[in-house]
Amino acid sequence: MTNRSTKAASRKPEADGEAPPASNRATRAAERRAAIVEAAMEEFIVRGFAATRLDDIAKRAGVAKGTIYLHFKDKESMFEELVRTVIVPVVARLNALPPPTGSVRDLIETFAGNFLKEVIGTRRGDLVRLIVAEGPRFPAVADFYYREVVSRGMAGMRALIELGIARGEIRERDLAHYPQILVAPAMIAVIWQSLFARHAPLDAQDMLRVHLDLIFGERRTT
Amino acid sequence: MTNRSTKAASRKPEADGEAPPASNRATRAAERRAAIVEAAMEEFIVRGFAATRLDDIAKRAGVAKGTIYLHFKDKESMFEELVRTVIVPVVARLNALPPPTGSVRDLIETFAGNFLKEVIGTRRGDLVRLIVAEGPRFPAVADFYYREVVSRGMAGMRALIELGIARGEIRERDLAHYPQILVAPAMIAVIWQSLFARHAPLDAQDMLRVHLDLIFGERRTT
Amino acid sequence: MTNRSTKAASRKPEADGEAPPASNRATRAAERRAAIVEAAMEEFIVRGFAATRLDDIAKRAGVAKGTIYLHFKDKESMFEELVRTVIVPVVARLNALPPPTGSVRDLIETFAGNFLKEVIGTRRGDLVRLIVAEGPRFPAVADFYYREVVSRGMAGMRALIELGIARGEIRERDLAHYPQILVAPAMIAVIWQSLFARHAPLDAQDMLRVHLDLIFGERRTT
Amino acid sequence: MTNRSTKAASRKPEADGEAPPASNRATRAAERRAAIVEAAMEEFIVRGFAATRLDDIAKRAGVAKGTIYLHFKDKESMFEELVRTVIVPVVARLNALPPPTGSVRDLIETFAGNFLKEVIGTRRGDLVRLIVAEGPRFPAVADFYYREVVSRGMAGMRALIELGIARGEIRERDLAHYPQILVAPAMIAVIWQSLFARHAPLDAQDMLRVHLDLIFGERRTT
DNA sequence: CATGAATGAGCTTTCATTCAT
DNA sequence: CATGAATGAAAGCTCATTCAT
């Protein structure tokens, strides 16, 4: 989905017709690569790395099997680059967050709201589960994910917690040592949706609200 | 090979009669099955379902490849039964917990301590990650795990939380709706150990302490 | 052909019936291996290493593709071991040659006669051409062939030449430095049969006679 | 890439007009073809026909893969035409040999000297081995080689031998039936250099000297 | 019951050939 | 003419499963 936007954008001009006459070669190649990445993500999420067939990725991407090898060295590097490709824009957006104005609770609630909308129960959430699943077999992936997402996320959360403590919004001072506690319910929600949603749907939004109440104290007015 | 000699030895005596002398056949079969289950768990955890070779399981279990098929229909059912086999005694022990005496916080702390010792960073923790990883491909596994472990665990936690609320130990009344919040940091610790321990070791015990402080209020005396 | 003898020998006992009920497992395995080696030699000779398909070898050997991998690590080692397997008995027979009695010329003529019958224009001759063809890509094969066949052959020829010189049968004393000259026409005959036989058949026997006349002087009586 | 710049440069001038200024198209095409032939020979010699990749030939020749198909129908015909292209000038030079003056031995020694310098241990020698290697798979190549090189060479050698016999330089009259004997050591030297040079270097020049002594009798004075 | 050799479908990867640019 | 991205048939190799011993 992410990469599709690029493609969709570059196609807009021909949106009124039916046949895509293709722009220049570089663009075509980029589109193909994006299609492969998207198809691969879909397949890897559904079947896992080992059980995914390149044949299926090619079919879903609408390219020949050999084409995949014009963009990726082999299945492994495809998987690793795929994670990079999908993660990078996410990190970029996090880095481009607006400067912290308002109360820490508001900030975190906004953030939680975005997470809820854009991760939990979406393809992006499935990617997280995929990384949990394949991480041990792909140290490069786990490393990358830790470096780019986890460590930055933890640092950001810690800063917010410290701000909250300084402002008197948060009483539990040791929380700054374990930003994981802050995000744990959100992560659990991600996993829950993947595994147990059909047995017992989870109101993630409400759960996150309760969790924030636990940390910041109950809100007087909603 | 090891087991072969044993087997040959235990068979000789019954060659002339009908009665099994020392350890009977059923026992030996059960031992074999246990060895296979153990070996399979090891391999599945390290390589995941699809990438695990029956050959390796057989070698590790010290049996022939064909023997596996005397105990399991195929690779899939082996995986599913394996999870059952490993999970069941855990559930049994949870059911056999001592009746709740003392404060709710003490109870939960005891429970967390056990979890810390017996799950986080152990083979059992890896099994949890394995279920997260393979769950979507094995509805039977996810179902079983939800029914036997998750739903019971959630129910137990909810009961404890309600008790804590009734006794005034817990102030956040809505917490009873989301026992997931109570266990989330513990689950995160399990996953963290599998994926990021070498980048940033996590003091799970201390984290859980902070989390309980958040729920029950800080302890006055240690 | 070489290896078949082994197989044929072990089959003799059942030669009166039609169905090969198979002896013990080890024998069966050895037979299969021999069949693979023979089929592989045939295919490699006809198509060369790179163009030979394992599928065809398997089909010709009457086994499944996977069976080949029970006996050989991969295509390359199959080729290398094949050469070894086929060459070894040849070397063994050379080593078991009768002690040199009679004139040197008679000895060499006998040897040439055997070579004529058993190498030139036979599968064994094709193998020589195969080694010439693939040697540069398979140093291990060229090494082995040099060590086991060429260097020994050269040493043997040199000894014979020196004996001939000592006895006054050979006048050209420097010939001992280049036993290659002695065998060159025989080797050329091998190659000629492979490449040009259909354009211009070569009477190898007569050519070798002329060559020996050149070295030993013309024979008075035939 | 190298050639690209040249090409671009040579094309610019004709952009405004129609006439090719400096080197015309036919010349450029011929150069390209020559580059492809050269590169192909190199690759075929090193890897053999089947294992050679057109990609590598194109890269080495500095042209695009598609360009090869402007000059050759497919890989097979490229190989066949390549052999022709490389062999033809050699044959031409042989035909342009100076008229036989001086003794036959001198003639042959001169010839052997040239062979030594220009074939044994050179790329041209490798080509001979390549033809030996691939000949059976490429009847057209073997045919061509036999017709253009072997049969002519044999005829020439036979004429020389007959001359030598007539002049009394050669005593072995039957040698004229087997000119192969005359060239055999030279061919063996070619093959030896390809396969065994690193195990046991061969002094081809001295070997040929000894061989000629065998045929013509030892030289009294050098 | 237990074995492990044998099977062959299926998977990843390569590469000759084509053709729109 | 020249290019090189794209194709897809084909090849090497693996491994779950079977079954004669």
Side-chain angles (χ1 to χ4, degrees):
Chain A
M1 280 296 155
T2 310
N3 299 54
R4 268 305 160 88
S5 56
T6 312
K7 181 180 161 186
S10 69
R11 271 196 174 169
K12 282 260 176 61
E14 339 137 357
D16 50 340
E18 192 69 77
S23 31
N24 60 56
R25 273 233 270 261
T27 306
R28 295 280 316 285
E31 281 173 14
R32 276 188 138 84
R33 195 194 146 99
I36 293 170
V37 164
E38 194 187 349
M41 180 148 120
E42 213 76 26
E43 293 289 329
F44 282 139
I45 283 172
V46 173
R47 327 188 105 80
F49 175 81
T52 290
R53 291 182 295 263
L54 289 232
D55 237 342
D56 290 344
I57 293 177
K59 215 161 288 167
R60 186 189 279 265
V63 301
K65 236 184 315 172
T67 305
I68 293 174
Y69 288 86
L70 299 176
H71 293 275
F72 304 96
K73 186 173 141 283
D74 57 16
K75 198 184 174 189
E76 283 206 13
S77 7
M78 176 164 58
F79 181 65
E80 297 181 355
E81 288 191 41
L82 156 73
V83 173
R84 276 186 184 79
T85 303
V86 176
I87 291 290
V88 161
V90 175
V91 173
R93 276 185 36 202
L94 286 182
N95 286 339
L97 276 185
T101 60
S103 74
V104 170
R105 167 146 204 178
D106 285 343
L107 274 171
I108 292 184
E109 263 182 7
T110 305
F111 191 79
N114 286 335
F115 193 82
L116 211 54
K117 204 164 26 155
E118 302 191 3
V119 179
I120 295 175
T122 71
R123 188 90 321 145
R124 229 145 14 214
D126 291 330
L127 179 64
V128 171
R129 212 211 70 246
L130 182 62
I131 291 170
V132 169
E134 305 289 357
R137 251 110 53 209
F138 291 90
V141 165
D143 288 9
F144 176 82
Y145 191 68
Y146 178 76
R147 199 166 0 99
E148 297 296 318
V149 180
V150 176
S151 72
R152 291 173 191 226
M154 289 299 105
M157 288 299 145
R158 176 175 294 117
L160 278 180
I161 293 168
E162 281 166 352
L163 189 62
I165 292 170
R167 290 195 186 167
E169 292 184 65
I170 297 174
R171 303 183 57 190
E172 180 62 49
R173 313 187 74 87
D174 288 342
L175 191 60
H177 300 141
Y178 301 107
Q180 289 94 341
I181 293 175
L182 184 56
V183 302
M187 299 306 302
I188 289 308
V190 167
I191 292 171
W192 188 281
Q193 298 300 349
S194 294
L195 295 180
F196 308 129
R198 68 170 176 279
H199 300 100
L202 178 66
D203 183 341
Q205 176 161 26
D206 196 45
M207 179 173 77
L208 294 188
R209 196 212 82 226
V210 173
H211 186 230
L212 292 186
D213 280 353
L214 204 56
I215 291 170
F216 290 94
E218 284 189 54
R219 271 234 147 115
R220 275 127 304 195
T221 59
T222 309
Chain B
M1 277 303 151
T2 310
N3 299 46
R4 298 301 303 279
S5 55
T6 314
K7 169 191 148 199
S10 70
R11 263 194 177 174
K12 283 263 176 58
E14 55 189 76
D16 50 345
E18 192 69 77
S23 74
N24 56 37
R25 274 232 266 259
T27 306
R28 307 243 49 257
E31 282 171 15
R32 276 186 139 78
R33 195 194 145 98
I36 293 171
V37 164
E38 172 96 9
M41 178 147 121
E42 212 75 29
E43 295 287 331
F44 282 138
I45 282 172
V46 173
R47 328 188 104 82
F49 174 80
T52 289
R53 291 184 292 266
L54 291 211
D55 238 338
D56 290 343
I57 293 176
K59 213 163 291 166
R60 187 188 277 266
V63 302
K65 231 185 321 172
T67 305
I68 293 176
Y69 286 86
L70 299 176
H71 293 273
F72 304 95
K73 182 171 144 283
D74 57 15
K75 198 184 173 190
E76 284 207 12
S77 9
M78 175 165 57
F79 180 66
E80 297 180 354
E81 288 191 41
L82 155 73
V83 174
R84 277 187 185 78
T85 305
V86 176
I87 292 291
V88 162
V90 175
V91 174
R93 275 184 37 202
L94 286 182
N95 287 339
L97 275 186
T101 61
S103 75
V104 172
R105 167 150 203 172
D106 284 343
L107 273 171
I108 291 184
E109 264 181 8
T110 305
F111 191 79
N114 286 336
F115 193 81
L116 212 53
K117 205 165 27 163
E118 302 190 3
V119 180
I120 294 175
T122 71
R123 187 87 325 141
R124 226 141 20 211
D126 291 329
L127 179 65
V128 171
R129 216 213 65 247
L130 182 63
I131 291 170
V132 169
E134 306 287 358
R137 250 107 55 205
F138 290 91
V141 164
D143 288 9
F144 176 83
Y145 189 68
Y146 178 77
R147 200 169 354 100
E148 296 297 316
V149 181
V150 176
S151 71
R152 292 174 191 226
M154 290 300 106
M157 288 298 145
R158 175 174 295 117
L160 278 179
I161 292 167
E162 283 166 348
L163 189 61
I165 291 169
R167 289 195 186 167
E169 291 183 67
I170 295 173
R171 304 182 57 190
E172 180 63 48
R173 314 187 72 86
D174 289 342
L175 191 60
H177 300 139
Y178 301 107
Q180 289 95 341
I181 293 175
L182 183 58
V183 301
M187 299 307 301
I188 290 306
V190 167
I191 292 171
W192 189 281
Q193 299 299 349
S194 293
L195 294 180
F196 308 129
R198 68 167 176 281
H199 299 101
L202 179 66
D203 183 341
Q205 176 161 28
D206 196 45
M207 181 174 77
L208 295 188
R209 195 214 83 223
V210 173
H211 186 230
L212 293 186
D213 280 354
L214 206 55
I215 291 170
F216 291 94
E218 285 189 51
R219 268 229 147 114
R220 275 125 307 192
T221 58
T222 307
Chain C
M1 280 298 154
T2 310
N3 300 54
R4 270 300 162 87
S5 57
T6 313
K7 181 180 162 188
S10 68
R11 271 195 173 167
K12 283 261 174 60
E14 340 140 354
D16 51 339
E18 190 69 78
S23 33
N24 60 55
R25 271 232 272 258
T27 306
R28 295 279 320 285
E31 281 174 12
R32 277 190 138 82
R33 196 194 145 100
I36 292 170
V37 164
E38 195 188 346
M41 180 148 117
E42 213 76 29
E43 294 287 331
F44 281 139
I45 282 172
V46 173
R47 328 187 106 81
F49 175 80
T52 290
R53 292 183 293 264
L54 290 229
D55 238 339
D56 289 344
I57 293 177
K59 215 162 290 167
R60 188 189 277 266
V63 302
K65 231 181 324 172
T67 305
I68 293 176
Y69 289 87
L70 298 176
H71 294 274
F72 304 95
K73 188 176 140 282
D74 57 16
K75 198 185 174 188
E76 282 206 14
S77 7
M78 176 165 56
F79 181 65
E80 297 182 355
E81 287 191 44
L82 156 73
V83 174
R84 276 186 184 77
T85 304
V86 176
I87 291 289
V88 161
V90 175
V91 174
R93 278 185 33 202
L94 287 182
N95 286 339
L97 275 186
T101 61
S103 75
V104 170
R105 168 149 202 173
D106 284 343
L107 273 170
I108 292 184
E109 264 181 7
T110 306
F111 191 80
N114 287 335
F115 193 82
L116 212 54
K117 203 165 28 165
E118 302 190 3
V119 180
I120 295 175
T122 70
R123 186 91 323 145
R124 221 129 41 197
D126 291 331
L127 178 64
V128 171
R129 214 211 69 246
L130 182 63
I131 291 169
V132 169
E134 305 288 357
R137 250 107 54 206
F138 291 90
V141 165
D143 288 9
F144 176 82
Y145 190 67
Y146 178 76
R147 201 170 353 100
E148 297 296 317
V149 180
V150 177
S151 71
R152 291 173 191 226
M154 290 299 105
M157 288 299 144
R158 176 175 294 118
L160 278 179
I161 293 168
E162 283 167 349
L163 189 61
I165 292 169
R167 290 195 186 167
E169 291 183 67
I170 296 174
R171 304 182 57 189
E172 179 63 49
R173 314 185 72 85
D174 287 343
L175 192 60
H177 299 140
Y178 300 106
Q180 288 94 344
I181 293 173
L182 184 57
V183 302
M187 299 306 302
I188 291 306
V190 166
I191 291 170
W192 189 281
Q193 299 299 350
S194 294
L195 294 180
F196 309 129
R198 70 168 175 278
H199 300 100
L202 178 66
D203 183 341
Q205 176 161 28
D206 196 45
M207 180 174 78
L208 294 188
R209 195 214 83 222
V210 174
H211 186 230
L212 293 186
D213 280 353
L214 205 55
I215 291 170
F216 291 94
E218 285 189 52
R219 268 234 148 111
R220 276 124 306 193
T221 58
T222 307
Chain D
M1 278 298 154
T2 310
N3 299 47
R4 296 305 300 282
S5 55
T6 313
K7 169 191 148 197
S10 70
R11 262 196 177 173
K12 282 264 177 58
E14 55 189 76
D16 50 347
E18 193 69 78
S23 73
N24 56 38
R25 275 229 268 256
T27 306
R28 307 245 50 257
E31 282 172 14
R32 276 185 139 81
R33 195 194 144 99
I36 293 170
V37 165
E38 172 96 9
M41 178 150 119
E42 213 75 29
E43 294 288 330
F44 282 138
I45 283 172
V46 173
R47 328 190 105 82
F49 175 80
T52 290
R53 292 183 292 265
L54 291 210
D55 238 339
D56 290 344
I57 293 177
K59 214 163 288 166
R60 188 189 277 266
V63 302
K65 233 186 318 174
T67 305
I68 293 176
Y69 286 86
L70 299 175
H71 293 273
F72 305 95
K73 182 171 145 282
D74 57 16
K75 198 186 175 189
E76 283 206 11
S77 9
M78 175 165 59
F79 181 65
E80 297 180 354
E81 289 191 41
L82 156 73
V83 174
R84 277 186 184 80
T85 304
V86 177
I87 291 290
V88 162
V90 175
V91 173
R93 275 184 39 200
L94 287 181
N95 286 338
L97 274 186
T101 61
S103 73
V104 171
R105 168 148 203 176
D106 285 343
L107 274 171
I108 293 185
E109 264 182 7
T110 304
F111 192 79
N114 286 336
F115 194 80
L116 211 54
K117 205 163 29 156
E118 302 191 2
V119 179
I120 295 175
T122 71
R123 188 89 325 141
R124 246 178 318 247
D126 291 331
L127 179 64
V128 172
R129 215 212 65 247
L130 181 62
I131 291 168
V132 169
E134 306 288 358
R137 250 107 55 209
F138 291 91
V141 165
D143 288 9
F144 176 83
Y145 191 68
Y146 178 77
R147 200 167 357 99
E148 297 296 317
V149 181
V150 176
S151 71
R152 292 176 191 222
M154 289 300 104
M157 288 297 145
R158 175 175 296 118
L160 278 179
I161 293 168
E162 282 167 350
L163 189 61
I165 292 169
R167 288 194 186 169
E169 290 183 68
I170 296 174
R171 302 182 57 188
E172 179 64 49
R173 312 186 74 85
D174 287 343
L175 191 60
H177 300 140
Y178 302 106
Q180 289 94 341
I181 293 175
L182 185 57
V183 302
M187 300 306 302
I188 291 306
V190 167
I191 292 171
W192 189 281
Q193 298 300 349
S194 293
L195 293 180
F196 309 130
R198 68 167 178 280
H199 299 101
L202 178 67
D203 183 341
Q205 177 161 27
D206 196 45
M207 180 173 78
L208 294 188
R209 196 212 82 224
V210 174
H211 186 229
L212 292 186
D213 280 353
L214 205 56
I215 291 169
F216 291 94
E218 283 189 52
R219 271 232 147 114
R220 274 127 305 196
T221 58
T222 309

